[in-house]
Amino acid sequence: MKPPASTRRPKTGSKTGAKDASSRARDRHRPPRIGFASLGCPKALVDSERILTQLRAEGYETVGAYADADLVVVNTCGFITDAVEESLDTIGEALAENGKVIVTGCLGAQPEKILARHPNVLAISGPQAYESVVGAVHQHLPPAHDPFLDLLPPQGVKLTPRHYAYLKISEGCNHRCTFCIIPSMRGDLVSRPIADVMREAERLAKAGVKELLVISQDTSAYGVDLRHAPGEFRGQRYKASFEGLAEALGELGIWIRMHYVYPYPHVDRVIPLMAEGRVLPYLDIPFQHASPRVLRRMKRPASAADTLERIRSWRAIAPDLTIRSTFIVGFPGETDEDFDMLLDWLGEARLDRVGCFPYSPVEGAAANALAGAVPDEVKQERHARFMERAAEISAEKLAAKKGRRLRVLVDAIDGGIAIARSEADAPEIDGVVHVRGGGKLAVGEFADVVVTGSDTYDLEAKLAPGARGAASAATTKPLSS
Ligand code: SF4
């Protein structure tokens, strides 16, 4: 049973035995081959998908082993010290096993760090620099003459399973949280026009995607930079705003899950859409803390909001609303009182899914200059107490679901058990539903189940009568209220 964790993607290039350069010399009749390692968060994953989609459109082939590739692209993460190390190690492995390596992604914004360890990389670019990456690939491994356009699947190349996909709606962020260096790497908010987002969403739905995970740095700020300029989708006009986007995506008839939402007042207007089942009753809100003093020092968006009151009012409209969040404990200057306030807040808010990280300094972040560093042992102790409380709440909330009928989406089959997710479970970061007798379900199929048990993070269930072949994403219904 897995605790909530931050998302970490597998590499798409594996690390099997090395070949020398001559054995990799290209047969001019075969397409050029790319190895790819994708590290970091879902936003980086979407960048990887775009790069791979472009390269596939141009006739490049992707291969699973670095040694079988003509060249390797490493999409790095530079968010925290561990991620930087993992990125540098991955570049080193790719160099050792292949020799021709192009680096992109968040760590690419600090090329000196990469060059200090790996001076032989062919090219370095920062996040979202799709053209630069593809240009560097062209320079070091020219494309084949035939573009193989007919080989490109209509939804592009996805690194997620076929039945769910991430939908990136904007880049960058207008906030300046003191612990974060993302705005300095990715710049201010730049939203995609809503018609453009909806074209991609519809293409994915038509290609068989059953669940879209909406991501950005600040999803609730979507369209602010566009002054909410409307766009057309299926003959209707929708505003480029959080609400307009939820309305338009709600027309697709698949699961729509909103990540990285901040509790701005206008978020209230999307809750009725959740109650109606147009978008999933699920909000991923990185609250980070509850003490106003700490939030001010973090310079968090919407830090003055009375979040407990907001959560109460949302649940009054959408009682099944699942709230996921992440928190930082041990931020510089956090006192015992601040931490107790956070624990009390969590007890009141009773969030469904919670991740927590002991504060660790990020190179270049403004928080490094703040006084009041919290000793490591205090951070660890607070982290353990926080997670213990969060686990109790999670277990209680899941136990209360026993006997309910839920719609689930199947992610995998393990013998006679289907590993599925309900509306309350985002892939990879939340819990799962183990469906007994679900071995004959198909991956990507919706089914109705009845909850039979639970533990701290996951549910046990059995197939409900008539569960098979539920084609639609229609919302959860209680068996008894
Ligand atoms: S909202 Fe804060 S933490 Fe999130 S990307 Fe923007 S600056 Fe970073």
Side-chain angles (χ1 to χ4, degrees):
M1 307 303 150
K2 67 181 166 43
S6 56
T7 306
R8 173 76 48 206
R9 297 280 158 187
K11 296 164 191 176
T12 54
S14 66
K15 304 170 212 117
T16 49
K19 274 188 185 177
D20 66 27
S22 59
S23 67
R24 277 201 311 273
R26 249 182 78 200
D27 169 349
R28 40 187 199 92
H29 298 296
R30 71 153 171 82
R33 291 176 179 161
I34 300 285
F36 207 97
S38 185
L39 305 173
C41 64
K43 284 154 277 204
L45 186 77
V46 172
D47 290 348
S48 296
E49 289 172 349
R50 283 202 190 165
I51 295 164
L52 284 170
T53 297
Q54 180 62 33
L55 292 173
R56 280 281 294 276
E58 294 175 355
Y60 290 86
E61 208 176 68
T62 44
V63 292
Y66 294 154
D68 293 338
D70 300 307
L71 177 153
V72 177
V73 178
V74 180
N75 189 5
T76 57
C77 177
F79 186 47
I80 55 171
T81 310
D82 284 354
V84 171
E85 275 308 307
E86 186 185 7
S87 294
L88 290 171
D89 287 351
T90 304
I91 296 167
E93 285 165 20
L95 277 169
E97 294 180 23
N98 183 285
K100 291 178 79 177
V101 176
I102 288 172
V103 180
T104 187
C106 287
L107 188 59
Q110 302 172 69
E112 65 290 348
K113 263 193 193 158
I114 298 166
L115 290 171
R117 181 94 69 94
H118 303 299
N120 295 331
V121 296
L122 298 175
I124 299 174
S125 55
Q128 298 116 47
Y130 316 114
E131 291 80 12
S132 307
V133 183
V134 172
V137 172
H138 290 167
Q139 188 189 340
H140 296 283
L141 181 65
H145 288 304
D146 183 345
F148 291 93
L149 275 171
D150 51 334
L151 295 184
L152 185 68
Q155 77 278 21
V157 176
K158 306 310 295 178
L159 295 177
T160 46
R162 191 181 144 80
H163 60 281
Y164 68 83
Y166 293 95
L167 181 68
K168 184 143 85 170
I169 57 168
S170 60
E171 303 283 6
C173 177
N174 288 344
H175 301 292
R176 296 295 181 262
C177 301
T178 52
F179 55 80
C180 176
I181 55 168
I182 285 175
S184 66
M185 293 196 287
R186 297 194 167 224
D188 281 341
L189 177 77
V190 179
S191 304
R192 294 172 62 193
I194 190 160
D196 184 28
V197 173
M198 290 310 302
R199 258 196 305 276
E200 181 180 353
E202 187 165 48
R203 201 167 55 238
L204 289 165
K206 280 186 179 156
V209 165
K210 304 280 178 49
E211 176 180 7
L212 283 177
L213 301 116
V214 177
I215 57 165
S216 68
Q217 307 296 345
D218 180 358
T219 296
S220 34
Y222 171 67
V224 167
D225 55 310
L226 301 175
R227 296 173 185 260
H228 304 304
E232 250 190 55
F233 172 62
R234 294 186 178 170
Q236 295 279 335
R237 277 166 83 74
Y238 294 93
K239 268 182 19 180
S241 65
F242 181 52
E243 189 184 3
L245 183 70
E247 282 170 354
L249 289 170
E251 292 299 312
L252 293 172
I254 57 175
W255 277 6
I256 306 296
R257 196 180 292 281
M258 298 292 191
H259 288 275
Y260 311 112
V261 173
Y262 292 98
Y264 303 122
H266 68 265
V267 170
D268 296 2
R269 297 202 290 270
V270 172
I271 306 299
L273 298 178
M274 296 183 169
E276 290 163 20
R278 307 263 299 279
V279 295
L280 290 181
Y282 180 101
L283 277 176
D284 174 3
I285 305 180
F287 285 111
Q288 306 298 13
H289 215 281
S291 156
R293 213 181 63 85
V294 176
L295 288 169
R296 273 197 302 278
R297 285 166 73 82
M298 289 178 167
K299 292 210 176 141
R300 291 296 289 163
S303 62
D306 181 349
T307 44
L308 278 180
E309 190 43 47
R310 303 289 296 294
I311 291 169
R312 270 186 217 112
S313 68
W314 293 342
R315 286 186 174 142
I317 297 166
D320 280 330
L321 178 66
T322 296
I323 303 178
R324 169 182 181 79
S325 191
T326 49
F327 294 86
I328 296 172
V329 293
F331 189 74
E334 182 192 65
T335 61
D336 286 342
E337 291 71 37
D338 291 321
F339 179 69
D340 289 344
M341 184 180 281
L342 173 60
L343 272 192
D344 290 348
W345 183 95
L346 182 65
E348 290 274 323
R350 294 183 63 74
L351 301 188
D352 303 81
R353 307 288 189 187
V354 169
C356 178
F357 301 92
Y359 174 74
S360 87
V362 175
E363 199 179 314
N368 299 345
L370 292 175
V374 176
D376 273 346
E377 58 278 15
V378 177
K379 281 186 206 168
Q380 297 306 335
E381 190 252 343
R382 288 178 185 168
H383 176 256
R385 282 174 63 200
F386 183 93
M387 285 314 294
E388 197 181 321
R389 185 76 190 100
E392 284 165 14
I393 294 168
S394 174
E396 287 162 17
K397 295 198 88 161
L398 292 183
K401 294 189 179 187
K402 190 167 175 188
R404 287 195 64 172
R405 184 180 176 118
L406 304 178
R407 179 138 303 173
V408 297
L409 180 57
V410 177
D411 277 341
I413 302 295
D414 184 3
I417 308 254
I419 315 292
R421 288 177 296 106
S422 72
E423 297 178 344
D425 312 311
E428 302 200 29
I429 50 176
D430 292 334
V432 295
V433 184
H434 299 273
V435 185
R436 244 182 316 117
K440 292 217 165 60
L441 294 170
V443 170
E445 183 178 358
F446 283 110
D448 290 339
V449 302
V450 177
V451 178
T452 54
S454 61
D455 61 18
T456 308
Y457 300 112
D458 299 331
L459 290 176
E460 296 290 327
K462 62 179 185 190
L463 283 176
R468 268 315 286 283
S472 89
T475 197
T476 303
K477 302 266 185 307
L479 266 187
S480 54
S481 54

PDB file of all heavy atoms in Angstrom, residues 36 44-54 156-160 165-166:
ATOM      1  N   PHE A  36      15.449   8.183 -24.946  1.00  0.00           N
ATOM      2  CA  PHE A  36      14.873   9.334 -24.242  1.00  0.00           C
ATOM      3  C   PHE A  36      14.746   9.010 -22.763  1.00  0.00           C
ATOM      4  O   PHE A  36      14.239   7.953 -22.393  1.00  0.00           O
ATOM      5  CB  PHE A  36      13.483   9.655 -24.809  1.00  0.00           C
ATOM      6  CG  PHE A  36      13.085  11.094 -24.651  1.00  0.00           C
ATOM      7  CD1 PHE A  36      13.244  11.997 -25.690  1.00  0.00           C
ATOM      8  CD2 PHE A  36      12.568  11.551 -23.450  1.00  0.00           C
ATOM      9  CE1 PHE A  36      12.904  13.331 -25.551  1.00  0.00           C
ATOM     10  CE2 PHE A  36      12.221  12.880 -23.296  1.00  0.00           C
ATOM     11  CZ  PHE A  36      12.381  13.771 -24.350  1.00  0.00           C
ATOM     12  N   ALA A  44       6.928  18.328 -16.936  1.00  0.00           N
ATOM     13  CA  ALA A  44       8.096  17.915 -17.729  1.00  0.00           C
ATOM     14  C   ALA A  44       7.722  16.750 -18.644  1.00  0.00           C
ATOM     15  O   ALA A  44       8.209  16.645 -19.772  1.00  0.00           O
ATOM     16  CB  ALA A  44       9.242  17.518 -16.802  1.00  0.00           C
ATOM     17  N   LEU A  45       6.849  15.887 -18.146  1.00  0.00           N
ATOM     18  CA  LEU A  45       6.417  14.748 -18.965  1.00  0.00           C
ATOM     19  C   LEU A  45       5.708  15.235 -20.229  1.00  0.00           C
ATOM     20  O   LEU A  45       5.912  14.708 -21.320  1.00  0.00           O
ATOM     21  CB  LEU A  45       5.480  13.859 -18.150  1.00  0.00           C
ATOM     22  CG  LEU A  45       5.067  12.567 -18.837  1.00  0.00           C
ATOM     23  CD1 LEU A  45       6.193  11.553 -18.790  1.00  0.00           C
ATOM     24  CD2 LEU A  45       3.823  11.989 -18.197  1.00  0.00           C
ATOM     25  N   VAL A  46       4.884  16.262 -20.064  1.00  0.00           N
ATOM     26  CA  VAL A  46       4.183  16.812 -21.224  1.00  0.00           C
ATOM     27  C   VAL A  46       5.200  17.398 -22.213  1.00  0.00           C
ATOM     28  O   VAL A  46       5.075  17.229 -23.426  1.00  0.00           O
ATOM     29  CB  VAL A  46       3.150  17.873 -20.783  1.00  0.00           C
ATOM     30  CG1 VAL A  46       2.561  18.585 -21.986  1.00  0.00           C
ATOM     31  CG2 VAL A  46       2.041  17.211 -19.978  1.00  0.00           C
ATOM     32  N   ASP A  47       6.231  18.072 -21.692  1.00  0.00           N
ATOM     33  CA  ASP A  47       7.294  18.584 -22.576  1.00  0.00           C
ATOM     34  C   ASP A  47       7.918  17.417 -23.356  1.00  0.00           C
ATOM     35  O   ASP A  47       8.156  17.517 -24.563  1.00  0.00           O
ATOM     36  CB  ASP A  47       8.401  19.269 -21.764  1.00  0.00           C
ATOM     37  CG  ASP A  47       7.939  20.582 -21.154  1.00  0.00           C
ATOM     38  OD1 ASP A  47       6.861  21.067 -21.550  1.00  0.00           O
ATOM     39  OD2 ASP A  47       8.657  21.117 -20.285  1.00  0.00           O
ATOM     40  N   SER A  48       8.191  16.315 -22.643  1.00  0.00           N
ATOM     41  CA  SER A  48       8.803  15.151 -23.305  1.00  0.00           C
ATOM     42  C   SER A  48       7.896  14.641 -24.413  1.00  0.00           C
ATOM     43  O   SER A  48       8.355  14.303 -25.513  1.00  0.00           O
ATOM     44  CB  SER A  48       9.042  14.020 -22.304  1.00  0.00           C
ATOM     45  OG  SER A  48       9.961  14.413 -21.335  1.00  0.00           O
ATOM     46  N   GLU A  49       6.601  14.584 -24.123  1.00  0.00           N
ATOM     47  CA  GLU A  49       5.658  14.081 -25.123  1.00  0.00           C
ATOM     48  C   GLU A  49       5.679  14.964 -26.372  1.00  0.00           C
ATOM     49  O   GLU A  49       5.622  14.478 -27.496  1.00  0.00           O
ATOM     50  CB  GLU A  49       4.250  14.021 -24.526  1.00  0.00           C
ATOM     51  CG  GLU A  49       4.097  12.913 -23.503  1.00  0.00           C
ATOM     52  CD  GLU A  49       2.775  12.937 -22.757  1.00  0.00           C
ATOM     53  OE1 GLU A  49       2.030  13.928 -22.863  1.00  0.00           O
ATOM     54  OE2 GLU A  49       2.490  11.966 -22.057  1.00  0.00           O
ATOM     55  N   ARG A  50       5.757  16.268 -26.143  1.00  0.00           N
ATOM     56  CA  ARG A  50       5.775  17.177 -27.308  1.00  0.00           C
ATOM     57  C   ARG A  50       7.022  16.973 -28.148  1.00  0.00           C
ATOM     58  O   ARG A  50       6.976  16.969 -29.369  1.00  0.00           O
ATOM     59  CB  ARG A  50       5.738  18.634 -26.827  1.00  0.00           C
ATOM     60  CG  ARG A  50       4.387  19.032 -26.409  1.00  0.00           C
ATOM     61  CD  ARG A  50       4.282  20.533 -26.468  1.00  0.00           C
ATOM     62  NE  ARG A  50       3.052  20.944 -25.846  1.00  0.00           N
ATOM     63  CZ  ARG A  50       2.764  22.159 -25.464  1.00  0.00           C
ATOM     64  NH1 ARG A  50       3.653  23.120 -25.642  1.00  0.00           N
ATOM     65  NH2 ARG A  50       1.611  22.450 -24.924  1.00  0.00           N
ATOM     66  N   ILE A  51       8.163  16.844 -27.470  1.00  0.00           N
ATOM     67  CA  ILE A  51       9.413  16.658 -28.214  1.00  0.00           C
ATOM     68  C   ILE A  51       9.355  15.342 -28.996  1.00  0.00           C
ATOM     69  O   ILE A  51       9.665  15.286 -30.188  1.00  0.00           O
ATOM     70  CB  ILE A  51      10.618  16.645 -27.235  1.00  0.00           C
ATOM     71  CG1 ILE A  51      10.759  18.019 -26.572  1.00  0.00           C
ATOM     72  CG2 ILE A  51      11.906  16.279 -27.971  1.00  0.00           C
ATOM     73  CD1 ILE A  51      11.654  18.004 -25.339  1.00  0.00           C
ATOM     74  N   LEU A  52       8.890  14.283 -28.319  1.00  0.00           N
ATOM     75  CA  LEU A  52       8.835  12.976 -28.985  1.00  0.00           C
ATOM     76  C   LEU A  52       7.824  12.975 -30.121  1.00  0.00           C
ATOM     77  O   LEU A  52       8.060  12.366 -31.172  1.00  0.00           O
ATOM     78  CB  LEU A  52       8.475  11.895 -27.960  1.00  0.00           C
ATOM     79  CG  LEU A  52       9.631  11.501 -27.031  1.00  0.00           C
ATOM     80  CD1 LEU A  52       9.138  10.614 -25.900  1.00  0.00           C
ATOM     81  CD2 LEU A  52      10.721  10.781 -27.809  1.00  0.00           C
ATOM     82  N   THR A  53       6.712  13.672 -29.921  1.00  0.00           N
ATOM     83  CA  THR A  53       5.706  13.743 -30.980  1.00  0.00           C
ATOM     84  C   THR A  53       6.306  14.393 -32.222  1.00  0.00           C
ATOM     85  O   THR A  53       6.160  13.903 -33.344  1.00  0.00           O
ATOM     86  CB  THR A  53       4.481  14.542 -30.494  1.00  0.00           C
ATOM     87  OG1 THR A  53       3.893  13.832 -29.407  1.00  0.00           O
ATOM     88  CG2 THR A  53       3.447  14.701 -31.598  1.00  0.00           C
ATOM     89  N   GLN A  54       7.034  15.497 -32.005  1.00  0.00           N
ATOM     90  CA  GLN A  54       7.654  16.201 -33.129  1.00  0.00           C
ATOM     91  C   GLN A  54       8.675  15.300 -33.822  1.00  0.00           C
ATOM     92  O   GLN A  54       8.706  15.181 -35.052  1.00  0.00           O
ATOM     93  CB  GLN A  54       8.311  17.484 -32.612  1.00  0.00           C
ATOM     94  CG  GLN A  54       9.000  18.321 -33.671  1.00  0.00           C
ATOM     95  CD  GLN A  54       8.018  18.810 -34.721  1.00  0.00           C
ATOM     96  OE1 GLN A  54       6.854  19.080 -34.418  1.00  0.00           O
ATOM     97  NE2 GLN A  54       8.468  18.894 -35.964  1.00  0.00           N
ATOM     98  N   GLY A 156      -0.703  12.041 -30.959  1.00  0.00           N
ATOM     99  CA  GLY A 156       0.691  12.290 -30.656  1.00  0.00           C
ATOM    100  C   GLY A 156       1.253  11.104 -29.892  1.00  0.00           C
ATOM    101  O   GLY A 156       0.583  10.108 -29.676  1.00  0.00           O
ATOM    102  N   VAL A 157       2.493  11.224 -29.455  1.00  0.00           N
ATOM    103  CA  VAL A 157       3.118  10.141 -28.704  1.00  0.00           C
ATOM    104  C   VAL A 157       2.879  10.393 -27.220  1.00  0.00           C
ATOM    105  O   VAL A 157       3.201  11.460 -26.713  1.00  0.00           O
ATOM    106  CB  VAL A 157       4.638  10.104 -28.986  1.00  0.00           C
ATOM    107  CG1 VAL A 157       5.315   9.048 -28.134  1.00  0.00           C
ATOM    108  CG2 VAL A 157       4.881   9.833 -30.459  1.00  0.00           C
ATOM    109  N   LYS A 158       2.279   9.451 -26.522  1.00  0.00           N
ATOM    110  CA  LYS A 158       1.998   9.639 -25.115  1.00  0.00           C
ATOM    111  C   LYS A 158       2.914   8.738 -24.291  1.00  0.00           C
ATOM    112  O   LYS A 158       3.156   7.596 -24.653  1.00  0.00           O
ATOM    113  CB  LYS A 158       0.541   9.270 -24.783  1.00  0.00           C
ATOM    114  CG  LYS A 158      -0.503   9.965 -25.616  1.00  0.00           C
ATOM    115  CD  LYS A 158      -0.354  11.461 -25.717  1.00  0.00           C
ATOM    116  CE  LYS A 158      -0.532  12.180 -24.391  1.00  0.00           C
ATOM    117  NZ  LYS A 158      -0.329  13.646 -24.579  1.00  0.00           N
ATOM    118  N   LEU A 159       3.393   9.277 -23.173  1.00  0.00           N
ATOM    119  CA  LEU A 159       4.201   8.475 -22.266  1.00  0.00           C
ATOM    120  C   LEU A 159       3.344   7.885 -21.155  1.00  0.00           C
ATOM    121  O   LEU A 159       3.802   7.083 -20.372  1.00  0.00           O
ATOM    122  CB  LEU A 159       5.317   9.333 -21.661  1.00  0.00           C
ATOM    123  CG  LEU A 159       6.344   9.836 -22.674  1.00  0.00           C
ATOM    124  CD1 LEU A 159       7.358  10.742 -21.998  1.00  0.00           C
ATOM    125  CD2 LEU A 159       7.051   8.692 -23.358  1.00  0.00           C
ATOM    126  N   THR A 160       2.120   8.343 -21.041  1.00  0.00           N
ATOM    127  CA  THR A 160       1.186   7.773 -20.079  1.00  0.00           C
ATOM    128  C   THR A 160       0.463   6.612 -20.751  1.00  0.00           C
ATOM    129  O   THR A 160       0.459   6.513 -21.974  1.00  0.00           O
ATOM    130  CB  THR A 160       0.156   8.837 -19.665  1.00  0.00           C
ATOM    131  OG1 THR A 160      -0.314   9.489 -20.832  1.00  0.00           O
ATOM    132  CG2 THR A 160       0.759   9.842 -18.731  1.00  0.00           C
ATOM    133  N   ALA A 165      -4.283  11.008 -19.894  1.00  0.00           N
ATOM    134  CA  ALA A 165      -3.261  11.887 -20.471  1.00  0.00           C
ATOM    135  C   ALA A 165      -3.244  13.202 -19.701  1.00  0.00           C
ATOM    136  O   ALA A 165      -4.260  13.628 -19.152  1.00  0.00           O
ATOM    137  CB  ALA A 165      -3.566  12.156 -21.945  1.00  0.00           C
ATOM    138  N   TYR A 166      -2.084  13.808 -19.656  1.00  0.00           N
ATOM    139  CA  TYR A 166      -1.948  15.133 -19.047  1.00  0.00           C
ATOM    140  C   TYR A 166      -2.221  16.196 -20.102  1.00  0.00           C
ATOM    141  O   TYR A 166      -1.809  16.061 -21.252  1.00  0.00           O
ATOM    142  CB  TYR A 166      -0.540  15.309 -18.473  1.00  0.00           C
ATOM    143  CG  TYR A 166      -0.273  14.393 -17.300  1.00  0.00           C
ATOM    144  CD1 TYR A 166       0.353  13.170 -17.480  1.00  0.00           C
ATOM    145  CD2 TYR A 166      -0.684  14.743 -16.025  1.00  0.00           C
ATOM    146  CE1 TYR A 166       0.573  12.315 -16.408  1.00  0.00           C
ATOM    147  CE2 TYR A 166      -0.470  13.895 -14.952  1.00  0.00           C
ATOM    148  CZ  TYR A 166       0.162  12.687 -15.144  1.00  0.00           C
ATOM    149  OH  TYR A 166       0.360  11.852 -14.091  1.00  0.00           O
TER     150      TYR A 166
END
